[in-house]
Each structure stands twice: as C-alpha cells, then as structure tokens.
Amino acid sequence: MEILWMLIVGGIIGWLASLITGRDVPGGIIGNIIAGFIGAWLGGLIFGDWGPVVGGFAIIPAIIGSIILVLIISFILRKVGKRSNQTHHDHA
C-alpha cells in the first residue's frame, strides 16, 4: 500500500510541475510519476529534505526539483525537434 501511495504522490508532483511550467511531460501518467520521482531526488540533492513530507517525499523540494526537470526535458525536446525539422527541410 505504501508503494501505491508513493506512486500517487509522485504522479501528483510531476503533474503539478507540468502545470506550473505550462509544459507537458512526455508519457502521460507514467511520465508524471517518473518526473515526480526524479524531481524529488533532484530537489532533495539541491535543497535537502525540508518542509512537509507526504508519501515519503519532501513536497517543496520535490516540486521545485520536478519543475527544474520538466524545464530541462522540454528544452532538450525542443532542441531535438528543431534539429530533426532542419534535417527534413535540408533534404527536401
């Protein structure tokens, strides 16, 4: 049951990060859960484990870390998308 709670909280953290940034996380619900977990880890590394803890996540650092992660992913995907579009136009 604890694992289920962690998955739900991780998904909500990833979803909140995508709402705050205005950028969708690739992979839907699974992508949100992964972004929540990785973002929580990243936020814990950068900011420590302060603030309220829900489902094993320090919520504030987890949300901030997830926001950073979503912005990085979106930046990378935008660069890759532009590069693949240029490749298609160059060969046309």
Side-chain angles (χ1 to χ4, degrees):
M1 193 65 175
E2 187 176 322
I3 298 283
L4 178 62
W5 183 239
M6 289 180 71
L7 292 173
I8 291 168
V9 173
I12 291 171
I13 290 169
W15 174 70
L16 284 173
S18 66
L19 278 180
I20 291 168
T21 61
R23 293 174 166 86
D24 286 333
V25 176
I29 294 169
I30 302 297
N32 283 334
I33 292 170
I34 293 169
F37 272 81
I38 296 174
W41 172 78
L42 182 64
L45 281 179
I46 298 170
F47 303 107
D49 293 332
W50 54 274
V53 175
V54 177
F57 296 97
I59 294 298
I60 296 170
I63 291 173
I64 295 170
S66 293
I67 289 170
I68 293 168
L69 180 68
V70 168
L71 291 173
I72 291 170
I73 289 170
S74 127
F75 175 78
I76 290 169
L77 291 176
R78 194 167 43 243
K79 289 295 182 189
V80 169
K82 283 185 181 177
R83 194 166 291 148
S84 80
N85 283 342
Q86 289 174 348
T87 304
H88 291 298
H89 293 304
D90 290 343
H91 296 293

